[in-house]
């Protein structure tokens, strides 16, 4: 049997096998696994952000009380309406959410 | 007109474009897996190695310099993965099981292609040593050039040609039923002189 016959046999066998493997689900499984790493990374960032936000929220009340007199000196109406704690908390939370969203958007 | 591999690698690397890498996977996965299946004789092991190879390629796209083809770079990663897996005792056991299963069940034949001559071919391939089998599969079956096969297996070009010649001879003998000849000791020593990292 000449060597080019071996080559032909191998090519036929190989091409037939490759054709069968062309359309199975390997590709999807692989891409899913590749994206799983990215999803895990984003999950860790989101979890860390959530813990940070929760910790920050826990500080809002005391922070509000601390900054209230300064805010009041700038705007006596705020102190009179008893709003500084809620406003300061909301502003800080909004800033944290916006910052997290910006980071996630750039990472994606 | 579609982009070539080098352009896709650049896009996947610089722009972090997953679609570009997905296209590379689509282009190469079937033939890479076919090569690995014929190399190691086990479907599951071959697919595991192929998956690891693609994941490593994805993680190390920046290290692909474009001096050779993406295909030979990818096959080189896969071949290293195969060798690493081969060194593990666990893999050796798994391979033994797979080969036994293949022999017992006719290699999960779901088409007539896997029967008859194809089974004989696979058995004949398994009579070759790893480098002969790799060289023969890469060049004669997968269509890589001798240079690409040399790069993929990290083997000198001259040795690749020798392995192919010897592999074809052994295949011919195996397929014709003749017992394979033992390699000439002097010939082997001469060949290995040119191989800095013979496996």
């Amino acid at each position: 049997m000449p060597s080019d016959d071996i080559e032909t046999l191998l090519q036929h066998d190989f091409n037939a096998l490759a054709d069968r493997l062309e359309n199975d689900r390997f590709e999807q499984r692989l891409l899913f696994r590749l994206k799983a790493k990215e999803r895990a990374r984003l999950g860790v960032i989101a979890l860390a952000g959530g813990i940070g936000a929760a910790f920050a929220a826990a500080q809002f009340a005391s922070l509000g009380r601390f900054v209230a007199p300064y805010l009041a000196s700038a705007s006596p109406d705020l102190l009179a309406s008893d709003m500084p704690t809620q406003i300061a908390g909301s502003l800080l939370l909004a800033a944290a959410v916006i910052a997290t969203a910006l980071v996630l958007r750039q990472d994606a | 007109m579609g982009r070539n591999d080098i352009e896709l690698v650049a896009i996947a690397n610089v722009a972090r474009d997953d679609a570009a890498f997905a296209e590379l996977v689509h282009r190469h996965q079937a033939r890479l897996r076919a090569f690995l299946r014929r190399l190691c004789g086990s479907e599951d092991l071959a697919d595991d190695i192929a998956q690891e190879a693609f994941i490593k390629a994805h993680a190390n796209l920046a290290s692909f310099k474009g001096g050779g083809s993406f295909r030979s770079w990818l096959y080189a990663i896969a071949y290293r993965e195969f060798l690493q897996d081969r060194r593990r005792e666990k893999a050796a056991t798994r391979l033994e099981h797979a080969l036994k299963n293949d022999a017992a069940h006719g290699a999960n034949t779901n088409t007539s292609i896997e029967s008859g001559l194809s089974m004989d071919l696979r058995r004949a391939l398994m009579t070759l040593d790893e480098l002969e089998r790799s060289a023969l599969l890469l060049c004669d079956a997968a269509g890589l050039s001798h240079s690409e096969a040399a790069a993929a297996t990290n083997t000198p070009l001259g040795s690749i040609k020798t392995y192919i010649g010897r592999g074809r001879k052994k295949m011919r003998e195996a397929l014709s039923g003749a017992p394979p000849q033992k390699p000439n000791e002097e010939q082997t020593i001469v060949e290995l002189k040119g191989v800095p990292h013979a496996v």
Side-chain angles (χ1 to χ4, degrees):
Chain A
M1 186 183 288
S3 64
D4 58 344
D5 280 357
I6 292 288
E7 196 174 340
T8 307
L9 283 175
L10 280 171
Q11 272 172 7
H12 276 295
D13 171 73
F14 189 86
N15 290 337
L17 177 58
D19 284 347
R20 286 208 314 282
L21 298 176
E22 196 70 57
N23 294 314
D24 64 5
R25 296 192 54 78
F26 175 86
E27 209 173 311
Q28 287 87 342
R29 285 199 305 271
L30 172 67
L31 295 175
F32 181 83
R33 198 177 150 189
L34 279 173
K35 285 178 181 168
K37 274 189 172 179
E38 187 61 20
R39 282 196 301 275
R41 200 173 72 84
L42 289 177
V44 169
I45 291 173
L47 182 66
I51 291 170
F55 183 75
Q59 309 300 313
F60 287 159
S62 57
L63 183 67
R65 276 194 295 277
F66 179 75
V67 299
Y70 300 102
L71 289 172
S73 64
S75 172
D77 290 344
L78 282 175
L79 189 61
S81 63
D82 196 27
M83 289 292 287
T85 305
Q86 292 170 12
I87 290 174
S90 300
L91 286 175
L92 279 172
L93 186 59
V97 167
I98 290 168
T100 306
L102 285 174
V103 168
L104 288 178
R105 188 166 174 266
Q106 282 178 350
D107 270 352
Chain B
M1 198 175 72
R3 297 179 191 280
N4 65 32
D5 284 357
I6 306 287
E7 289 169 336
L8 286 172
V9 170
I11 294 168
N13 184 30
V14 177
R16 297 176 71 183
D17 185 345
D18 286 343
F21 189 76
E23 175 61 25
L24 287 167
V25 171
H26 179 70
R27 281 184 192 179
H28 295 286
Q29 62 92 11
R31 296 184 76 78
L32 179 68
R33 289 162 64 207
F35 161 67
L36 288 168
R37 283 187 183 200
R38 289 298 181 252
L39 179 64
C40 62
S42 159
E43 295 181 6
D44 292 340
L45 181 58
D47 281 4
D48 285 351
I49 292 173
Q51 197 168 72
E52 283 306 313
F54 276 114
I55 287 170
K56 285 199 171 169
H58 183 258
N60 296 294
L61 276 179
S63 69
F64 176 66
K65 303 297 178 198
S69 68
F70 172 76
R71 182 172 62 164
S72 65
W73 184 70
L74 179 65
Y75 277 64
I77 295 172
Y79 188 68
R80 278 199 300 273
E81 282 295 308
F82 164 73
L83 291 179
Q84 279 176 12
D85 206 273
R86 197 76 180 81
R87 286 186 195 111
R88 292 178 205 133
E89 196 177 347
K90 189 177 75 175
T93 312
R94 209 161 31 149
L95 178 59
E96 195 180 326
H97 277 290
L99 290 173
K100 278 180 187 167
N101 283 344
D102 279 0
H105 299 106
N108 299 327
T109 55
N110 53 6
T111 70
S112 59
I113 300 163
E114 283 293 283
S115 60
L117 183 60
S118 184
M119 280 298 290
D120 291 341
L121 260 184
R122 294 175 60 181
R123 289 200 188 96
L125 273 171
M126 285 304 171
T127 64
L128 309 183
D129 71 32
E130 274 171 18
L131 272 168
E132 290 165 352
R133 193 158 67 243
S134 306
L136 207 60
L137 284 169
L138 285 171
C139 296
D140 282 1
L144 270 69
S145 68
H146 289 177
S147 311
E148 284 180 314
T153 54
N154 202 8
T155 305
L157 183 60
S159 301
I160 285 289
K161 291 176 182 171
T162 306
Y163 291 134
I164 290 172
R166 198 195 295 162
R168 281 176 182 161
K169 188 168 175 238
K170 282 188 184 175
M171 289 283 288
R172 259 200 314 277
E173 288 165 350
L175 287 173
S176 64
Q181 285 180 345
K182 285 188 177 176
N184 183 326
E185 198 173 324
E186 279 180 26
Q187 184 189 356
T188 307
I189 291 168
V190 169
E191 282 161 13
L192 288 177
K193 278 181 182 170
V195 186
H197 31 248
V199 182

